[in-house]
Amino acid sequence: MGLTEDEDVQRMLQGSLLWKVKARGGSRARLFRLQEDGVTVCFEGRFRRARSPQSFSVAHIEGLRQGRQSEGLRKHGAAFPERHCFSLALKGRRKNLDLAARAEEDARHWVQGLTKLMARLQAMSQMEKLDHWIHGVLQRADRNKDNKMSFREVKSMLRMLNIDMDDVYASKLFKECDRSGNERLEGRELEEFCRRLLRRPELEELFGRYSGEDRVLSAEELQDFLRDQGEECSLRQARAIIRTYELNEKAKRQDLMMLDGFMMYLLSAAGDILNQEHTEVHQDMSQPLSHYFISSSHNTYLTRNQIGGASSTEAYARALRAGCRCVELDCWEGSDGEPVVYHGHTLTSKILFRDVIESIRDSAFEKSPYPVILSLENHCGLEQQATMARHMRAILGDRLLTQPLQGQDPHHLPSPELKEKILVKGKKLPELWQESQGVPFLLDPEEEEEEEEEEEEEKVKERSPRRSLQSLQEIKPLQAKDASQVSPELSALVVYCQAVPFPGLAQALRHPQPCQVSSFSERKARKLIKEAGPALVRYNARQLSRVYPLGLKMNSANYNPQEMWNAGCQLVALNFQTPGYEMDLNAGRFLANGRCGYVLKPLCLRSPPGEGSRRLALHIRVITAQQLPKLNRDKGSSIVDPFVRVEIHGIPADCAKQQTHHKLNNGFNPRWEETLRFQVRAPELALVRFVVEDYDSTSCNDFVGQFTLPLPSMRQGYRHIHLLSRDGASLSPATLFVHVRSKSL
């Protein structure tokens, strides 16, 4: 990693005794040590009992916080001084690691060291990541740690690399590299063996096509290649690319590019399938909120399923770090006058409302400066509603929007330029409300849809033989008699997002109310789309609508968000804690515009019935894959038989999928050279999902990796795709290499 001499990293390599604070209280001393690869951290009991050490990768650290800032350390870390504590938030579904050091100095070394390693990983080129990965595999395969590799160890390494290489060919390659003839590869011999393994014949052929017989690319020849890629490029720009990526100093001085430099270029961000301009906020952010898709979460407090899963403030931090801009709080009466957040009528654990608001305050604008909406599903009585309002004002301070913007019509929605502000979505008292008239009865906007779902849930519970579900009938949340009323204190915090029951499309289109928001279950939204899709699009051009998953899905499954986006729905709320293709689509939708959580809707959804863009013929040639991860299966860790599926998600007429044939026993460098063809009628709404699976003739194929992006953000030409795991973590150095071509019809 190039940080071997760093004092903090040195201390991590030596190892430290840290206390691991458990989620349910208590702590255990563990020896934490950074491994020689500079990426893996292992930890085990002080006395090294039989249990094998656990580990995590620095690449999977999503956030690092000093002090007692995590939920676990706030609850159970009081025994340790604040400055001895730190916590690591890990990507995917792994729990936080809450840690306490013996001394402040130890905690500082680990926090500073991990921060440096994370930054170094982020800055690494793909070639560096590849070298680093190979180095790690070599270390694991060298069983006797003599820095030499026998043929047996080389065979072991090949299996680690996901290659089932023929023994005869492997032996031939081994002997060719064993210059010393001592039946051991070391130093330069090992380097040569790895270099041969990492050859990219398809890139060599591509390079040869443009460089000609001399196998050297001039600036003019590079310019030709870039033009064929669909990139306008001057001779001056071509020379700048050579100076940036060429490794050979002599060639660089002569404005020439060798094969290694060409590979470096294609493996860099410049060769990525995602348009790099779209990794920054580049869209018009001055339009009303109703003109944007807004990344939204359902049951944000849950870490697992909605029947018996744990509620956690960390779930809010995780969603907000993932770019979510609308989070949900199910608020219920709690003991000691303190409202709580949890999934009512279930076995999910409860968390204090004030703790949730603190977590939102700390994480809201860590990844995006654009406004956050708090979607309140309120089941509290008047007194605890007033407490909720007090907590929000006290904790959020100036970030909480409590008044309409000056100089703007208060009956029109603001734009996302309302940076670092938090908006409350909830019930609101009528403007002409008088105290003497008493508190009016206001229906919870989600109660209408949820009533019939709850009835169905109860029927499911009654039919279920499982005791845990039957016992849910006995559980009743503590509610006040006036839970359907709204307090003036809470009402005053609702400025632009007043939650109301849906009045029907005819009424809503005749009398639009831009600052009113209605919620729809996925079933009701589908019914509206089927019966009056164009009218719903017109409605969504003026007002916000929120769609949420059916409550009876006990495993917190998600619905396909694409059909809701097609109708212009903005707050398409998903269970962020449930990985799957639905969350892949959500991550893909909000990948563009700098992952800020707001994406401008196409013109046809902002000013209906405006015309969409022209139809596209899309041709994707799947060429090769590189360094696909091995799958850990119960039946043994076998070499994968990969195939690639390309899916188009868009309007119903555009939804399609095609796949390549599978390649037997090769996850290291499989080659397909297969072209998949699509016609896309509404490209401005389409998402493209690349999926790699392991073919299995007798059971379901196993997921290997995927990447999803908006079609308008996809670049043409020869491109690399960096694959992600099921829960969205990087699978570096795993890539796909494709050629993309599209033309208007």
Side-chain angles (χ1 to χ4, degrees):
M1 296 285 283
L3 290 167
T4 315
E5 302 304 315
D6 182 88
E7 184 189 354
D8 297 316
V9 174
Q10 280 285 346
R11 291 289 288 270
M12 292 167 68
L13 286 164
Q14 290 166 19
S16 303
L17 198 63
L18 304 174
W19 273 267
K20 185 170 173 280
V21 180
K22 295 189 288 186
R24 293 179 181 171
S27 59
R28 286 183 179 170
R30 292 283 181 266
L31 184 64
F32 280 73
R33 183 182 279 116
L34 177 68
Q35 303 302 292
E36 292 295 330
D37 64 2
V39 173
T40 309
V41 176
C42 286
F43 54 98
E44 59 189 346
R46 306 172 64 170
F47 305 111
R48 304 194 182 189
R49 291 182 187 136
R51 191 179 173 192
S52 58
Q54 293 176 272
S55 67
F56 63 89
S57 170
V58 174
H60 287 174
I61 299 176
E62 191 174 54
L64 199 161
R65 288 178 282 177
Q66 287 180 272
R68 289 195 293 264
Q69 289 192 53
S70 71
E71 183 179 58
L73 284 171
R74 277 200 298 264
K75 278 185 181 178
H76 308 296
F80 303 100
E82 175 92 13
R83 293 188 176 183
H84 293 206
C85 298
F86 62 100
S87 60
L88 311 179
L90 299 172
K91 293 176 183 174
R93 304 185 85 181
R94 291 189 66 166
K95 292 178 182 175
N96 278 8
L97 263 178
D98 293 322
L99 302 168
R102 288 186 295 185
E104 183 184 335
E105 185 186 14
D106 286 343
R108 189 173 65 250
H109 282 307
W110 276 89
V111 169
Q112 290 176 176
L114 287 170
T115 302
K116 290 170 191 171
L117 291 171
M118 288 161 68
R120 178 71 186 98
L121 268 177
Q122 193 73 29
M124 267 185 165
S125 71
Q126 183 69 9
M127 291 288 274
E128 286 177 310
K129 287 177 184 174
L130 199 53
D131 286 344
H132 190 263
W133 177 70
I134 283 285
H135 178 69
V137 172
L138 286 171
Q139 280 193 321
R140 293 201 307 277
D142 184 10
R143 291 176 183 170
N144 58 4
K145 306 301 176 191
D146 63 352
N147 294 319
K148 299 176 184 177
M149 299 284 280
S150 66
F151 182 65
R152 186 180 172 192
E153 287 173 321
V154 163
K155 283 288 288 178
S156 172
M157 182 186 79
L158 292 173
R159 291 196 71 78
M160 287 179 191
L161 291 172
N162 223 343
I163 317 174
D164 189 13
M165 190 182 286
D166 175 74
D167 272 9
V168 174
Y169 179 70
S171 176
K172 178 173 176 287
L173 194 58
F174 183 91
K175 284 173 181 171
E176 285 174 2
C177 296
D178 181 17
R179 304 291 167 92
S180 61
N182 66 353
E183 297 188 349
R184 295 283 188 277
L185 299 185
E186 56 183 312
R188 292 280 178 87
E189 297 171 339
L190 204 46
E191 200 176 299
E192 173 65 16
F193 186 84
C194 289
R195 178 174 280 274
R196 291 202 189 191
L197 281 182
L198 291 170
R199 274 191 59 214
R200 294 282 301 273
E202 77 281 20
L203 294 188
E204 293 173 21
E205 291 162 22
L206 180 62
F207 182 74
R209 209 176 306 154
Y210 285 90
S211 65
E213 289 181 10
D214 61 359
R215 308 294 289 175
V216 174
L217 209 59
S218 67
E220 290 81 5
E221 288 166 334
L222 177 60
Q223 190 182 17
D224 290 341
F225 170 74
L226 293 168
R227 281 180 184 149
D228 289 349
Q229 290 277 87
E231 297 177 36
E232 285 303 314
C233 181
S234 67
L235 209 53
R236 184 178 174 185
Q237 287 168 315
R239 290 185 182 120
I241 288 170
I242 290 172
R243 284 193 292 275
T244 303
Y245 296 101
E246 178 51 46
L247 304 173
N248 183 300
E249 288 299 325
K250 187 178 177 182
K252 194 187 290 189
R253 285 195 296 272
Q254 297 176 46
D255 288 331
L256 298 174
M257 184 176 257
M258 315 291 281
L259 174 62
D260 282 349
F262 184 67
M263 286 175 67
M264 281 285 285
Y265 172 73
L266 282 176
L267 282 165
S268 74
D272 199 281
I273 195 163
L274 176 66
N275 186 335
Q276 294 302 289
E277 290 175 11
H278 292 191
T279 61
E280 304 291 334
V281 174
H282 66 281
Q283 295 178 340
D284 177 6
M285 300 300 280
S286 65
Q287 301 196 30
L289 290 175
S290 56
H291 285 186
Y292 297 83
F293 296 127
I294 304 171
S295 181
S296 304
S297 164
H298 177 65
N299 288 349
T300 314
Y301 45 88
L302 289 181
T303 56
R304 288 186 291 116
N305 70 66
Q306 61 191 36
I307 297 299
S311 303
S312 170
T313 59
E314 294 299 327
Y316 286 90
R318 188 163 292 214
L320 291 164
R321 280 197 297 266
C324 181
R325 298 289 88 190
C326 178
V327 295
E328 184 183 35
L329 293 80
D330 286 3
C331 307
W332 297 85
E333 291 269 308
S335 57
D336 301 323
E338 286 293 341
V340 293
V341 172
Y342 84 113
H343 201 257
H345 304 286
T346 69
L347 295 167
T348 58
S349 60
K350 301 173 184 178
I351 46 178
L352 288 174
F353 176 83
R354 68 165 181 248
D355 288 348
V356 170
I357 298 302
E358 284 181 358
S359 181
I360 290 168
R361 175 200 62 198
D362 296 341
S363 306
F365 306 109
E366 203 177 310
K367 295 293 183 183
S368 168
Y370 292 98
V372 168
I373 300 169
L374 308 186
S375 180
L376 302 183
E377 188 178 307
N378 179 24
H379 302 274
C380 292
L382 297 177
E383 195 176 320
Q384 293 204 14
Q385 286 182 42
T387 303
M388 288 164 58
R390 279 198 307 276
H391 285 326
M392 284 192 278
R393 283 184 184 274
I395 295 166
L396 299 176
D398 292 342
R399 288 183 169 181
L400 184 66
L401 188 79
T402 56
Q403 296 291 333
L405 296 178
Q406 284 188 339
Q408 183 180 309
D409 185 336
H411 301 295
H412 284 83
L413 286 168
S415 79
E417 288 294 355
L418 200 61
K419 288 182 179 176
E420 299 213 356
K421 287 293 182 183
I422 294 174
L423 285 61
V424 174
K425 175 179 105 48
K427 294 175 284 186
K428 190 168 180 65
L429 292 166
E431 287 177 15
L432 300 176
W433 175 75
Q434 307 243 332
E435 193 170 339
S436 60
Q437 294 175 308
V439 182
F441 180 91
L442 286 173
L443 186 66
D444 188 305
E446 293 190 358
E447 278 178 4
E448 284 186 318
E449 293 84 32
E450 290 190 342
E451 275 174 359
E452 61 172 313
E453 293 168 24
E454 284 173 6
E455 281 177 26
E456 289 186 45
E457 276 187 50
E458 290 304 317
K459 289 174 188 172
V460 170
K461 293 169 198 169
E462 286 166 10
R463 286 196 298 266
S464 172
R466 289 171 58 187
R467 186 175 299 170
S468 61
L469 286 176
Q470 289 174 342
S471 66
L472 295 179
Q473 295 171 306
E474 310 302 320
I475 298 169
K476 294 289 179 187
L478 181 63
Q479 296 183 68
K481 294 173 186 174
D482 52 6
S484 57
Q485 299 171 339
V486 60
S487 79
E489 296 91 340
L490 195 56
S491 171
L493 300 186
V494 178
V495 180
Y496 288 116
C497 299
Q498 181 186 354
V500 299
F502 184 56
L505 279 171
Q507 167 76 8
L509 290 171
R510 269 197 309 273
H511 305 288
Q513 302 287 336
C515 295
Q516 292 185 350
V517 187
S518 294
S519 289
F520 308 92
S521 70
E522 59 176 285
R523 183 169 51 212
K524 186 164 183 180
R526 277 196 204 98
K527 190 168 182 282
L528 271 173
I529 291 167
K530 186 178 178 181
E531 294 174 356
L536 183 60
V537 169
R538 291 201 303 278
Y539 168 82
N540 284 326
R542 298 286 299 276
Q543 292 183 225
L544 293 172
S545 62
R546 179 175 179 272
V547 182
Y548 60 92
L550 284 171
L552 55 84
K553 292 181 175 176
M554 288 173 284
N555 61 351
S556 293
N558 282 313
Y559 55 89
N560 183 344
Q562 183 66 46
E563 54 187 324
M564 313 307 174
W565 291 324
N566 291 342
C569 300
Q570 303 88 351
L571 303 167
V572 179
L574 297 177
N575 289 295
F576 271 47
Q577 76 275 18
T578 308
Y581 87 92
E582 302 92 346
M583 276 305 297
D584 294 345
L585 297 184
N586 194 73
R589 172 63 64 206
F590 294 100
L591 186 65
N593 210 26
R595 301 187 187 192
C596 76
Y598 285 83
V599 169
L600 189 64
K601 297 197 290 190
L603 187 60
C604 61
L605 296 180
R606 287 181 272 138
S607 303
E611 288 185 21
S613 56
R614 293 184 62 184
R615 277 196 318 173
L616 281 183
L618 178 65
H619 294 179
I620 297 173
R621 179 155 58 96
V622 180
I623 304 171
T624 55
Q626 294 76 41
Q627 293 83 50
L628 299 176
K630 289 200 70 171
L631 303 177
N632 294 317
R633 305 179 185 173
D634 294 337
K635 60 186 177 185
S637 190
S638 59
I639 308 295
V640 298
D641 303 326
F643 68 92
V644 179
R645 184 171 63 250
V646 178
E647 304 169 352
I648 307 294
H649 296 265
I651 62 170
D654 287 344
C655 292
K657 56 180 75 171
Q658 292 182 41
Q659 66 189 48
T660 67
H661 295 89
H662 67 275
K663 291 291 173 185
L664 280 172
N665 292 329
N666 189 351
F668 186 73
N669 56 1
R671 186 165 185 171
W672 291 279
E673 295 286 1
E674 294 184 44
T675 301
L676 310 178
R677 295 176 172 83
F678 304 91
Q679 277 201 16
V680 188
R681 294 156 186 79
E684 67 276 20
L685 264 169
L687 295 169
V688 185
R689 182 170 181 252
F690 294 86
V691 190
V692 182
E693 290 186 357
D694 179 17
Y695 175 78
D696 196 314
S697 59
T698 57
S699 60
C700 291
N701 299 323
D702 289 308
F703 175 89
V704 176
Q706 69 84 34
F707 186 75
T708 307
L709 76 166
L711 180 52
S713 299
M714 189 164 79
R715 294 196 292 185
Q716 295 197 56
Y718 289 95
R719 302 292 173 189
H720 279 97
I721 299 166
H722 298 266
L723 294 172
L724 304 175
S725 68
R726 190 180 294 280
D727 53 23
S730 168
L731 287 175
S732 180
T735 50
L736 284 178
F737 187 54
V738 300
H739 182 265
V740 178
R741 185 162 56 89
S742 66
K743 63 176 182 178
S744 297
L745 295 174

